[in-house]
Amino acid sequence: MKKIELGIDFLTNNTALFQCPVCKNAFQEMRGNSFYCEKGHSFDVAKKGSLYFLAGGAKNEYDKEMLSSRFTIAQAGLFNPLLDQIYKVMNENALQGATLDVGCGEGSQLDYLTKLGLTGSKIGFDISKDAINLASSHFTSAFWCVADLAQSPFASHQYDTILNIFSPSNYQEFKRLLKHDGKLIKVIPNQDYLVELRKLFYQDQVDKQSYQNNDVLAKFNEHFPDSEVINCRYQFQLTEELFKDLVKMTPLGWGASPAAKEYANAHPLNFITIDVSILIG
């Protein structure tokens, strides 16, 4: 099947997972390439099988070069041990149920989980159109859409699992979307996440050489007081090319001086530390 046909087929068979972002009513049917809600608002499936749910222009916080570098290093396996751990905590119902990947970026994480055995209905969305274009160009393992949690196109209490990996949260929205026995799996950096790169960029700013997640963790526990925390830490080997991709893909460099960036480029790292907490609510 062509990608547009796969997209239409997914929407036809999973209409109940969506709600109209304009009027909040249920979607009713597909007519040709258009997805119609009960009030007549429609959204067209793109040639790559994705859907654009935003009323205005998409925000592109990350440029195409950054997204391309993230795709390259993700395909090289940077996040695979983390995703392996996430897969292990998903029970059979979750693996076969409906999964929503919030801020999915270029789609690598949801595609990798599919290769591990994640089945069911999988939706990845991001507010960046460039990110979704990249995801839909490379992967047919999930349905991809451009959307915003603030104007959510997703229906209430339909999702077994919400993945929130290195992306902003909207806990009230997550609670609305999750089934009553559903789980939110959120990944946050720990103190030593990318610590070697932090030290390269901020040799003269000790306060920026580590990361504190206390506030984020407290907010999560406020909404999910019976949560489980799994720590995941490992080192990933870097080639010179992968180091360049790492520098391009991470927001860490945004606050670094030109001199610090030049120094970092001249002293490529051989490995990088991934140090995160997996929060399960």
Side-chain angles (χ1 to χ4, degrees), residues 66 69-70 73 78-79 244-251:
M66 174 270 173
S69 292
R70 189 182 189 281
I73 201 167
L78 177 64
F79 300 115
K244 292 178 182 178
D245 286 316
L246 177 68
V247 170
K248 291 176 183 176
M249 66 147 265
T250 175

Side-chain angles (χ1 to χ4, degrees), residues 133-187:
N133 281 340
L134 197 56
S136 58
S137 294
H138 288 283
F139 307 123
T140 57
S141 48
F143 180 79
W144 311 105
C145 53
V146 183
D148 184 356
L149 274 178
Q151 298 177 338
S152 178
F154 308 111
S156 299
H157 307 307
Q158 295 294 319
Y159 293 90
D160 298 273
T161 307
I162 292 178
L163 300 175
N164 186 214
I165 304 174
F166 301 126
S167 59
S169 299
N170 183 329
Y171 293 114
Q172 290 303 125
E173 183 67 3
F174 293 162
K175 291 176 182 178
R176 181 185 72 80
L177 296 173
L178 282 171
K179 292 181 179 179
H180 296 296
D181 59 348
K183 291 184 178 181
L184 169 64
I185 300 177
K186 181 174 178 63
V187 177

Side-chain angles (χ1 to χ4, degrees), residues 2-12 27 29-37 41-53 143:
K2 295 180 179 178
K3 288 182 178 180
I4 190 171
E5 294 172 339
L6 289 172
I8 291 171
D9 185 65
F10 183 89
L11 293 168
T12 300
F27 277 98
E29 63 180 346
M30 289 294 306
R31 297 182 208 163
N33 298 345
S34 299
F35 197 31
Y36 278 84
C37 82
H41 301 114
S42 66
F43 300 84
D44 297 333
V45 181
K47 290 182 179 180
K48 293 180 181 179
S50 59
L51 202 59
Y52 186 93
F53 278 116
F143 180 79

Side-chain angles (χ1 to χ4, degrees), residues 1 18 57 72 114 137 147 150 192 195 226 265 269 279:
M1 296 175 70
F18 299 90
T72 299
T114 299
S137 294
D192 288 339
V195 63
D226 297 323
N265 287 327
L269 298 170
L279 313 180

Side-chain angles (χ1 to χ4, degrees), residues 21-230:
V22 178
C23 65
K24 307 304 179 186
N25 283 285
F27 277 98
Q28 193 169 42
E29 63 180 346
M30 289 294 306
R31 297 182 208 163
N33 298 345
S34 299
F35 197 31
Y36 278 84
C37 82
E38 294 173 343
K39 296 294 184 181
H41 301 114
S42 66
F43 300 84
D44 297 333
V45 181
K47 290 182 179 180
K48 293 180 181 179
S50 59
L51 202 59
Y52 186 93
F53 278 116
L54 297 186
K59 297 179 181 179
N60 284 309
E61 185 178 23
Y62 304 127
D63 60 26
K64 292 181 180 179
E65 185 179 32
M66 174 270 173
L67 290 164
S68 179
S69 292
R70 189 182 189 281
F71 172 82
T72 299
I73 201 167
Q75 291 302 298
L78 177 64
F79 300 115
N80 287 6
L82 164 61
L83 295 168
D84 290 339
Q85 188 64 56
I86 289 174
Y87 182 79
K88 289 178 182 178
V89 304
M90 299 177 74
N91 60 30
E92 186 174 348
N93 286 339
L95 293 174
Q96 297 177 1
T99 300
L100 183 67
D101 187 0
V102 177
C104 68
E106 83 312 324
S108 296
Q109 56 203 24
L110 198 49
D111 182 72
Y112 182 77
L113 288 170
T114 299
K115 292 174 181 175
L116 291 179
L118 180 63
T119 58
S121 302
K122 294 159 288 183
I123 300 172
F125 82 92
D126 203 287
I127 200 168
S128 167
K129 185 177 181 180
D130 288 337
I132 296 303
N133 281 340
L134 197 56
S136 58
S137 294
H138 288 283
F139 307 123
T140 57
S141 48
F143 180 79
W144 311 105
C145 53
V146 183
D148 184 356
L149 274 178
Q151 298 177 338
S152 178
F154 308 111
S156 299
H157 307 307
Q158 295 294 319
Y159 293 90
D160 298 273
T161 307
I162 292 178
L163 300 175
N164 186 214
I165 304 174
F166 301 126
S167 59
S169 299
N170 183 329
Y171 293 114
Q172 290 303 125
E173 183 67 3
F174 293 162
K175 291 176 182 178
R176 181 185 72 80
L177 296 173
L178 282 171
K179 292 181 179 179
H180 296 296
D181 59 348
K183 291 184 178 181
L184 169 64
I185 300 177
K186 181 174 178 63
V187 177
I188 62 174
N190 287 339
Q191 181 175 352
D192 288 339
Y193 181 68
L194 305 185
V195 63
E196 297 85 2
L197 191 58
R198 290 178 185 276
K199 289 180 178 180
L200 262 185
F201 278 144
Y202 302 109
Q203 295 184 55
D204 57 343
Q205 301 178 62
V206 177
D207 60 316
K208 291 187 177 182
Q209 291 182 15
S210 64
Y211 173 80
Q212 296 296 327
N213 62 19
N214 296 340
D215 291 343
V216 178
L217 187 58
K219 178 63 70 172
F220 187 91
N221 288 331
E222 177 185 327
H223 289 277
F224 295 92
D226 297 323
S227 61
E228 179 184 358
V229 180
I230 299 173

